[in-house]
């Protein structure tokens, strides 16, 4: 806040003398002219496909092998950077304030909650002044000794004289190996706890490299050391590692087996020659089998490899027509299959659980349903330990978590879930997502879950399925702006008496007030409301809104509408610390669960993809209009926000109704669908074409042309202010954002109060929380400036 100190001079005035002075009003300086947006060069080029011809004067921006074009691109990006800085110059103090706010909410204790597996507790922590974490472990047997002393330096307890922490992998050193950048995709400790297999991203070559490290010596093993690795699985109790490599189009197609410590060449177990088929592997939780999935758009198959003898061949245990989600787990002689494959030739809109004896022969294998189909109680996910099965289920919008004792009773036919005496964990209100794991320890009855809500920081919960006791072991307390991390079973005095609760209710609404007190719930300060919005065809679209009780004024609040609507993925409605800065300034944050996304079954996904993509766009528009018509958000003060495929959704909605939005933020967006799907500069996978359409199919092609944001910009329309952020390290290249920005400026009505900005982020933003705060502060300041709020 700017403080103005005024000095008041008092004079004795002789009332008999009146001095009249004439002052000429000084001319106020003219405000500086608004900066002019850059104009990249246009190089006319036409394309023809399916007898349809179109011009693309900015296609040169994606010519990565053209050195002249890339020099022009570099100059243009520099101009865009300066233009964004000039437009946002008057928000520098606001950006600094926002960045400080967001950084102050970051967790101070930068350690993940230790995860017990066998005799060890594994965790990652960030050392002071370092950018990347360190993977560590310590013996669970001396855990209580550890927590009895504060922050032993580098894991050394000077009181007892014991070194209690073992550093397994320092990702800061890995960054030195990989050109200053450390991004890990896979990480698996061997079942004997002697080795760590992991893959690191090689930015120069754009693939992941596999390494295996000896955890006793800390040194790298000489082999395997493979490039383009997409999956790994341990076998032979940690003596062998299976891994999958991709071809040059990033299609996983080969499985190799490497014997740790052997000098022999790695053995090729499978090569899939069909370019439409993808390969994936994983081990069962008891390490008895390695599961091999091969899948394409026409078929899905599951094979077993005996982990004790990985060279003994593969056994086919399941196959079905079409692309299906198939996860197999092994439990005491039974295979359990969690899938959404068609039943008896009829497509289904949900996942279901099957089981079959593991030793059945291929010819006589039959699968039986575990549960009776119940449209009111959908099983969303399953996890196993030796004694229990944990189920994440959904009733309408309500998510629930329960456990069922194993082995299941021997009976003919499927059972109702309630017949198996499920034990339900009491949950807070408005749970929007429950994520399992990682639950590595098959023999432990304690299973870990992350509980998410729009009005509660994520809570990591350890749930003992054998007795129903549970502990919140990590959750940020926003009221004190710190994070509590509980090591092992210890808990703070404020929770220890309350947090071991046993409930056996059938309804999530049975949670009592004393349970609510256990969660760092913010519903006292922020409201969460849920609506069903009627879309263009009468379909009801879930809409969730969050706002501050203190600052909500009917029809006077600016609003931000989030959307994604692709790949059947859940829209991320979790509490976000960055959004608190908008909530506390009177903004309404809304989330539109449009078709194409997750949470509504397979049909909900399919009704918003490919030739039906317009449904997701119209759903988003309907939700935007609802917010304004119901006076939840002030008219002309609504903004849109989309990430990646969500950027396509928001940009397409703007094309349809540019006057509906005052501003928008598009993060690394997918904007040039026609050209990217026809001529991918970066390799696309089958799932991308399944989602957005195959241009070779004429119906798909016309659908793509009709929704592609770059190809449907309205001419002579006033577009909202838009901030597009992109990076060179993204699947949807920076040229997509640059082309869209240039074409909007060219076609739409120019208004300096509605700027179209392009901001390039650094490649390491997502890996550095403080840089992420800086980028979020820019986006937030942009929205506030454009709303004049």
């Amino acid at each position: 806040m700017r403080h103005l100190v005024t000095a008041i001079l008092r004079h004795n005035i002789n009332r008999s003398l009146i001095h009249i002075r004439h002052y000429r009003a000084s001319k106020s300086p003219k405000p500086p002219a608004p900066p002019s947006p850059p104009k990249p060069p246009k190089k006319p080029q036409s394309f023809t496909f399916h007898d349809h011809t179109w011009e693309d004067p900015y296609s040169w921006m994606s010519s990565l092998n053209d050195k002249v074009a890339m020099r022009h691109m570099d100059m243009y990006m520099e101009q865009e950077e300066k233009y964004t800085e000039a437009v946002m110059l008057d928000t520098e103090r606001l950006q600094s304030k926002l960045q400080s706010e967001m950084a102050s909410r970051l967790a101070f204790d930068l350690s993940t909650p230790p995860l017990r597996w066998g005799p060890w507790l594994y965790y990652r922590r960030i050392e002071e002044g370092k950018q990347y974490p360190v993977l560590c472990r310590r013996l669970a047997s001396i855990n209580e000794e550890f927590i009895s002393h504060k922050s032993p330096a580098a894991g050394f307890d000077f009181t007892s004289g014991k070194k209690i922490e073992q550093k397994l992998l320092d990702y800061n050193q890995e960054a030195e190996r990989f050109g200053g950048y450390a991004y890990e995709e896979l990480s698996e400790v061997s079942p004997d706890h002697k080795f760590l297999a992991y893959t690191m991203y090689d930015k120069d070559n754009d693939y992941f490299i596999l390494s295996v490290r000896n955890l006793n010596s800390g040194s790298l093993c000489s082999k395997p050391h493979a490039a383009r690795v997409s999956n790994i699985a341990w076998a032979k109790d940690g003596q062998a590692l299976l891994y999958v490599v991709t071809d040059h189009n990033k299609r996983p197609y080969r499985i190799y087996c490497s014997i740790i410590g052997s000098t022999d060449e790695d053995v090729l177990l499978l090569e899939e020659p069909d370019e439409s088929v993808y390969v994936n592997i994983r081990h069962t939780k008891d390490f008895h089998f390695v599961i091999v999935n091969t899948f394409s758009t026409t078929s899905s198959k599951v094979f077993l490899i005996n982990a004790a003898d990985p060279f003994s061949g593969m056994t086919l245990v399941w196959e079905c027509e079409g692309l299906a989600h198939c996860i197999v787990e092994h439990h005491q002689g039974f295979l359990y299959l969690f899938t959404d494959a068609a039943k008896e030739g009829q497509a289904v809109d949900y996942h279901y659980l099957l089981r079959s004896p593991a030793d059945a022969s291929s010819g006589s294998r039959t699968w039986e349903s575990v549960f009776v189909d119940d449209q009111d109680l959908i099983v969303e996910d399953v996890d196993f330990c030796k004694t229990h099965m944990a189920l994440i289920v959904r009733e309408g919008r309500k998510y629930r978590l329960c456990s069922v004792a194993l082995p299941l009773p021997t009976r003919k036919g499927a059972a109702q879930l309630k017949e198996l005496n499920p034990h339900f964990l009491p949950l807070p209100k408005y749970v929007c997502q429950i994520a399992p794991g990682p639950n590595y320890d098959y023999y432990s009855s304690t299973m870990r879950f992350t509980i998410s809500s729009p009005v509660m920081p994520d809570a990591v919960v350890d749930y003992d399925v054998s007795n129903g006791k549970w502990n919140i072991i990590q959750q940020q307390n926003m009221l004190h702006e710190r994070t509590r991390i509980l090591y092992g079973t210890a808990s703070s005095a404020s929770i220890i008496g309350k947090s071991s609760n046993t409930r056996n209710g059938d309804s999530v609404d049975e949670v009592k007030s004393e349970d609510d007190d256990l969660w760092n719930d913010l519903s006292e300060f922020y409201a969460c409301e849920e609506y069903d919005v009627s879309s263009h065809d009468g379909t009801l679209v879930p809409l969730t809104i969050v706002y501050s009780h203190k600052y909500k004024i009917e029809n006077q609040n600016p609003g931000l509408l989030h959307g994604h609507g692709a790949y059947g993925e859940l829209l991320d409605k979790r509490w976000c610390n960055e959004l608190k800065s908008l909530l506390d300034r009177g903004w309404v944050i809304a989330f539109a669960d449009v078709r194409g996304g997750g949470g509504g079954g397979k049909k909900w996904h399919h009704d918003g993809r490919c030739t039906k993509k317009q449904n997701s766009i119209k759903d988003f528009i309907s939700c935007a209009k609802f917010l304004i018509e119901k006076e939840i958000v002030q008219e002309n003060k609504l903004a849109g926000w989309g990430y990646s495929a969500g950027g396509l959704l928001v940009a397409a909605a703007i094309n349809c109704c540019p006057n509906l939005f005052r501003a928008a933020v598009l993060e690394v967006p997918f904007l040039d669908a026609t050209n990217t799907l026809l001529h991918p500069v970066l390799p696309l996978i089958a799932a991308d074409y399944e989602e957005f359409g195959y241009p070779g199919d004429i119906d798909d092609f016309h659908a793509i042309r009709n929704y592609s944001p770059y190809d449907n910009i309205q001419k002579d329309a006033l577009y909202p202010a838009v901030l597009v952020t992109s990076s060179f390290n993204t699947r949807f290249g920076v040229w997509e954002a640059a082309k869209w920005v240039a074409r909007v400026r060219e076609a739409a009505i120019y208004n300096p109060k509605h700027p179209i900005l392009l901001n390039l982020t650094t490649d390491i933003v997502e890996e550095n929380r403080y840089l992420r705060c800086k980028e979020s502060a820019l986006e937030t300041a942009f929205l506030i400036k454009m709303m004049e709020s």
Side-chain angles (χ1 to χ4, degrees):
M1 182 181 293
R2 182 177 298 171
H3 299 281
L4 180 62
V5 180
T6 307
I8 302 175
L9 304 179
R10 299 184 178 182
H11 299 272
N12 292 324
I13 300 175
N14 187 338
R15 292 179 182 274
S16 63
L17 292 175
I18 300 177
H19 297 279
I20 301 174
R21 295 182 180 180
H22 298 281
Y23 293 91
R24 180 176 294 174
S26 60
K27 293 182 179 179
S28 59
K30 290 183 178 180
S36 299
K39 290 186 177 180
K42 297 171 69 174
K43 301 178 182 179
Q45 188 170 359
S46 62
F47 297 87
T48 301
F49 197 73
H50 285 310
D51 296 327
H52 184 85
T53 300
W54 66 95
E55 297 291 327
D56 186 1
Y58 301 114
S59 66
W60 62 268
M61 292 185 181
S62 61
S63 302
L64 301 186
N65 296 322
D66 186 333
K67 293 182 179 179
V68 175
M70 289 302 97
R71 279 199 296 270
H72 285 162
M73 192 66 171
D74 287 341
M75 290 187 289
Y76 173 49
M77 290 296 100
E78 190 174 336
Q79 293 169 2
E80 289 288 356
E81 183 180 14
K82 290 179 179 177
Y83 176 59
T84 298
E85 288 176 356
V87 170
M88 298 298 293
L89 184 64
D90 61 345
T91 68
E92 282 188 343
R93 293 186 65 183
L94 175 59
Q95 287 185 57
S96 179
K97 178 175 173 56
L98 289 166
Q99 187 177 353
S100 296
E101 287 178 16
M102 295 171 183
S104 72
R105 299 184 197 118
L106 295 177
F108 292 112
D109 192 339
L110 303 180
S111 171
T112 60
L115 182 72
R116 180 160 186 168
W117 182 16
W120 295 97
L121 290 166
Y122 290 88
Y123 55 98
R124 296 173 193 253
R125 61 178 180 82
I126 296 180
E127 297 177 324
E128 187 175 353
K130 298 292 182 66
Q131 179 177 342
Y132 296 104
V134 180
L135 176 63
C136 305
R137 73 179 177 187
R138 63 178 179 272
L139 286 170
S141 59
I142 57 174
N143 179 54
E144 294 298 327
E145 194 173 335
F146 176 82
I147 64 169
S148 65
H149 305 93
K150 290 186 177 180
S151 302
F156 189 84
D157 188 334
F158 290 98
T159 305
S160 63
K162 292 181 180 179
K163 183 179 179 182
I164 58 179
E165 179 180 270
Q166 182 184 1
K167 287 186 181 180
L168 304 180
L169 185 61
D170 187 337
Y171 292 95
N172 299 284
Q173 295 177 4
E174 291 297 305
E176 295 175 7
R177 288 178 63 204
F178 292 95
Y181 183 75
Y183 177 70
E184 177 189 77
E185 185 176 56
L186 305 171
S187 178
E188 293 281 351
V189 175
S190 62
D192 58 5
H193 303 275
K194 292 181 180 179
F195 299 98
L196 171 70
Y198 62 102
T199 61
M200 300 297 297
Y201 183 61
D202 185 332
K203 188 168 64 170
D204 293 336
N205 294 301
D206 188 30
Y207 54 58
F208 287 88
I209 292 179
L210 171 67
S211 300
V212 176
R213 192 173 292 272
N214 186 315
L215 297 183
N216 292 324
S217 66
S219 60
L220 283 171
C221 299
S222 58
K223 61 180 286 292
H225 187 79
R228 304 197 309 274
V229 173
S230 62
N231 274 117
I232 53 179
W234 286 103
K236 290 179 71 69
D237 293 326
Q239 299 175 45
L241 180 70
L242 278 65
Y243 60 92
V244 178
V245 299
T246 65
D247 61 18
H248 291 285
N249 290 321
K250 296 190 176 181
R251 177 181 69 93
Y253 77 122
R254 285 178 178 171
I255 303 176
Y256 287 93
C257 180
S258 178
I259 303 299
I260 306 300
S262 168
T263 58
D264 295 339
E265 289 290 317
D266 295 349
V267 177
L268 178 65
L269 300 184
L270 173 71
E271 179 170 5
E272 179 52 66
D274 188 337
E275 293 185 356
S276 67
V277 177
Y278 292 69
V279 177
N280 182 66
I281 62 172
R282 56 180 292 275
H283 60 76
T284 56
K285 292 188 72 174
D286 60 5
F287 288 98
H288 283 188
F289 299 100
V290 173
I291 307 297
V292 178
N293 290 80
T294 65
F295 53 92
S296 69
T297 57
T298 58
S299 69
S300 301
K301 297 179 181 180
V302 182
F303 300 86
L304 288 188
I305 293 178
N306 183 354
D309 185 8
F311 303 116
S312 61
M314 302 192 310
T315 303
L316 178 68
V317 295
W318 168 266
E319 64 177 321
C320 65
E321 293 184 356
L323 182 63
H325 190 214
C326 304
I327 298 179
V328 170
E329 191 53 75
H330 175 253
H331 185 276
Q332 297 185 11
F334 280 94
L335 299 177
Y336 287 84
L337 170 66
F338 189 59
T339 184
D340 60 355
K343 274 189 171 184
E344 299 177 354
Q346 297 295 317
V348 295
D349 194 31
Y350 51 87
H351 283 78
Y352 54 93
L353 189 64
L354 303 174
R355 72 172 180 173
S356 175
D359 57 2
S361 62
S362 298
S364 61
R365 181 175 300 280
T366 58
W367 292 87
E368 63 177 12
S369 294
V370 174
F371 301 116
V372 173
D373 290 344
D374 185 351
Q375 295 303 307
D376 296 325
L377 193 69
I378 302 296
V379 178
E380 294 285 345
D381 208 347
V382 184
D383 204 349
F384 289 82
C385 68
K386 185 178 180 181
T387 60
H388 285 76
M389 171 170 56
L391 301 168
I392 298 171
V393 298
R394 178 172 54 83
E395 290 179 296
R397 288 191 183 185
K398 289 190 171 91
Y399 284 88
R400 305 174 65 188
L401 174 60
C402 70
S403 61
V404 172
L406 292 175
L408 295 176
T410 55
R411 55 180 296 169
K412 284 289 185 180
Q416 294 279 355
L417 177 59
K418 63 183 179 182
E419 296 173 2
L420 301 177
N421 300 315
H423 177 94
F424 285 87
L425 178 74
L427 297 176
K429 299 176 183 177
Y430 310 119
V431 170
C432 63
Q433 187 175 331
I434 302 175
N439 294 312
Y440 291 118
D441 198 336
Y442 173 73
Y443 297 98
S444 171
S445 62
T446 298
M447 304 181 76
R448 179 163 294 176
F449 299 89
T450 300
I451 313 297
S452 302
S453 160
V455 286
M456 183 190 76
D458 281 2
V460 181
V461 174
D462 272 359
Y463 176 29
D464 191 332
V465 292
S466 66
N467 57 25
K469 293 183 178 181
W470 54 280
N471 281 300
I472 301 172
I473 61 163
Q474 184 184 58
Q475 187 180 28
Q476 187 171 6
N477 187 337
M478 293 303 301
L479 304 182
H480 301 95
E481 295 193 339
R482 62 184 179 85
T483 297
R484 178 181 68 243
I485 298 179
L486 306 179
Y487 293 87
T489 59
S491 57
S492 65
S494 63
I495 296 184
I496 195 166
K498 299 180 183 178
S499 60
S500 295
N501 292 283
T502 302
R503 292 277 186 273
N504 206 359
D506 288 332
S507 173
V508 75
D509 297 325
E510 289 185 10
V511 179
K512 296 183 180 179
S513 58
E514 62 263 25
D515 292 321
D516 291 338
D517 294 338
L518 300 176
W519 310 90
N520 283 324
D521 190 303
L522 303 175
S523 56
E524 179 184 349
F525 307 97
Y526 304 101
C528 181
E529 297 177 0
E530 297 173 335
Y531 298 90
D532 288 315
V533 177
S534 180
S535 191
H536 67 103
D537 57 359
T539 298
L540 296 180
V541 181
L543 176 68
T544 304
I545 68 167
V546 179
Y547 59 86
S548 167
H549 288 299
K550 184 177 179 180
Y551 298 108
K552 181 72 172 73
I553 305 172
E554 188 172 338
N555 199 29
Q556 293 187 33
N557 297 81
L560 182 63
L561 179 61
H562 291 243
H564 185 66
Y567 297 106
E569 294 174 352
L570 279 176
L571 176 64
D572 190 355
K573 300 192 288 287
R574 298 173 299 168
W575 171 263
C576 177
N577 282 341
E578 287 92 342
L579 291 179
K580 187 176 187 293
S581 293
L582 285 176
L583 290 169
D584 291 346
R585 286 170 171 82
W587 283 62
V588 173
I589 309 298
F591 304 90
D593 279 300
V594 302
R595 280 172 282 185
K602 188 185 288 189
K603 186 177 187 301
W604 190 260
H605 171 212
H606 287 186
D607 281 350
R609 68 178 178 92
C610 207
T611 56
K612 297 181 179 180
K613 191 63 187 171
Q614 289 291 345
N615 282 335
S616 63
I617 299 164
K618 292 177 180 178
D619 289 351
F620 190 78
I621 292 170
S622 297
C623 289
K625 290 180 177 178
F626 177 89
L627 291 170
I628 294 169
E629 290 167 0
K630 297 298 180 182
E631 299 186 339
I632 297 169
V633 171
Q634 185 176 347
E635 189 174 5
N636 198 33
K637 284 205 170 183
L638 177 63
W641 190 94
Y643 170 81
S644 190
L648 180 150
L649 173 75
V650 177
I654 290 171
N655 281 343
C656 294
C657 303
N659 295 328
L660 187 57
F661 301 92
R662 177 77 168 268
V665 173
L666 311 178
E667 283 196 6
V668 291
F670 179 31
L671 298 172
D672 188 14
T674 302
N675 292 308
T676 295
L677 293 169
L678 265 176
H679 312 291
V681 177
L682 301 175
L684 300 177
I685 61 175
D688 297 319
Y689 288 105
E690 281 289 297
E691 188 64 34
F692 299 107
Y694 290 86
D697 181 283
I698 191 165
D699 292 332
D700 283 11
F701 173 77
H702 286 301
I704 295 164
R705 291 289 299 173
N706 286 335
Y707 72 69
S708 174
Y710 182 64
D711 300 305
N712 291 281
I713 295 165
Q714 285 198 35
K715 194 168 179 62
D716 298 327
L718 179 61
Y719 267 56
V722 183
L723 172 63
V724 186
T725 70
S726 193
S727 164
F728 285 101
N729 185 33
T730 173
R731 284 200 315 132
F732 304 125
V734 67
W735 52 87
E736 294 208 12
K739 290 171 68 175
W740 186 85
V741 164
R743 181 167 273 185
V744 170
R745 289 188 190 139
E746 174 192 335
I749 296 172
Y750 172 70
N751 184 333
K753 291 186 176 181
H754 290 223
I756 309 296
L757 305 180
L758 175 59
N759 181 56
L760 281 187
T761 64
T762 61
D763 290 345
I764 59 174
V765 164
E766 291 190 8
E767 298 300 309
N768 187 307
R769 302 186 314 157
Y770 293 95
L771 275 179
R772 178 61 200 162
C773 286
K774 184 177 180 180
E775 298 297 335
S776 295
L778 172 66
E779 294 174 10
T780 305
F782 168 80
L783 290 170
I784 292 172
K785 173 183 170 72
M786 295 309 144
M787 294 294 177
E788 300 173 352
S789 62

